[in-house]
Amino acid sequence: MTKFVLPPPATPSVAIAGTSERFAVRRIFCVGRNYAAHARELGNDERDPPFFFTKPGDAVVDSGTVIPYPPLTENLHHEIELVVAIGKAGFRISLGRALDHIWGYGVGIDLTRRDLQEEAKRAARPWDWSKSFDRSAPCGPLVPATKSGHPEKGSIWLAVNGEIRQDGDLAELIWPIADIVSICSEAVELKPGDLIFTGTPAGVGPVNPGETITGGVDGIGEIEVTIGPAE
């Protein structure tokens, strides 16, 4: 039996809709600029091929969590996303087999320290500090693909204190779900427990302490988190 000098950390996990079971999270991959209108609102060309950034697995938190306003930022942004949960390992997965590797789907929020991201862009430095911070990947309960099917269209939305900020449709994805899984697997071997945040529609913006974020994807579910005061 392996002996560790310190107790191993708890396994990050996401709830599964309608059951007490949970989905163990291994890694989190995120697709940048995968809705044309969002790419344009950030001053980018929507024809660019997809690119990925990562968050640590323990950045995930459940719907209903109160998330302290993170340090080092004065411009925290919300980004609503469809989340893909990988259930079958694969490397260089063909486009035609990509959906076979998906266990299910959820609704996530990519929280972003936008001021740190803009600083990193100007300095041509990595985005890690703007994206990969504690509790930066809230995710609602997952729905097995056997129940939801593989969504190709449907409303994706986010509201802050009940006011709609983001209102798009999955049909607007530049790179559909199967493409995302296949392209991601060209760089890494996807394994069970990996999550892929598939991109956000237009309308991203700031969220402040005391505000509540709600969001959802038709046929998949909803999420709600509250931003608390800074720690």
Side-chain angles (χ1 to χ4, degrees):
M1 179 179 294
T2 302
K3 293 184 178 180
F4 298 95
V5 296
L6 296 174
T11 300
S13 65
V14 178
I16 297 174
T19 177
S20 61
E21 294 181 319
R22 297 185 67 85
F23 184 90
V25 174
R26 183 169 180 266
R27 298 175 296 184
I28 300 174
F29 301 99
C30 304
V31 184
R33 304 171 194 158
N34 202 25
Y35 287 79
H38 174 57
R40 290 194 296 269
E41 76 178 346
L42 295 183
N44 300 293
D45 188 338
E46 66 267 26
R47 295 169 297 176
D48 287 344
F51 69 92
F52 296 82
F53 57 91
T54 63
K55 292 175 181 272
D58 63 3
V60 74
V61 293
D62 285 331
S63 179
T65 299
V66 177
I67 300 172
Y69 196 88
L72 303 182
T73 186
E74 296 180 353
N75 194 19
L76 180 68
H77 275 209
H78 56 73
E79 300 187 13
I80 190 73
E81 314 215 0
L82 173 70
V83 177
V84 171
I86 299 296
K88 177 182 175 183
F91 179 54
R92 294 176 178 163
I93 302 167
S94 68
L95 185 60
R97 300 300 300 270
L99 297 182
D100 297 339
H101 293 259
I102 297 174
W103 185 89
Y105 296 91
V107 182
I109 301 172
D110 167 17
L111 291 174
T112 302
R113 296 191 278 204
R114 190 71 72 199
D115 42 3
L116 297 191
Q117 185 185 41
E118 294 302 324
E119 290 174 11
K121 288 179 180 179
R122 287 192 295 269
R125 293 175 177 170
W127 290 7
D128 297 58
W129 243 219
S130 68
K131 292 286 191 176
S132 303
F133 53 94
D134 297 337
R135 298 173 286 257
S136 62
C139 186
L142 300 179
V143 179
T146 52
K147 292 184 178 180
S148 67
H150 298 287
E152 297 179 352
K153 60 182 180 180
S155 174
I156 176 170
W157 61 274
L158 180 142
V160 176
N161 289 345
E163 178 187 349
I164 294 292
R165 297 276 188 87
Q166 295 182 263
D167 188 10
D169 195 286
L170 298 180
E172 299 167 358
L173 282 166
I174 298 171
W175 297 92
I177 295 165
D179 295 72
I180 291 167
V181 171
S182 178
I183 293 168
C184 187
S185 76
E186 291 290 326
V188 297
E189 180 181 3
L190 292 173
K191 293 189 176 182
D194 289 340
L195 299 180
I196 304 176
F197 281 54
T198 59
T200 194
V204 302
V207 60
N208 300 300
E211 294 184 324
T212 296
I213 305 170
T214 52
V217 175
D218 279 358
I220 302 301
E222 296 188 358
I223 187 171
E224 177 178 316
V225 295
T226 298
I227 304 301
E231 291 183 323

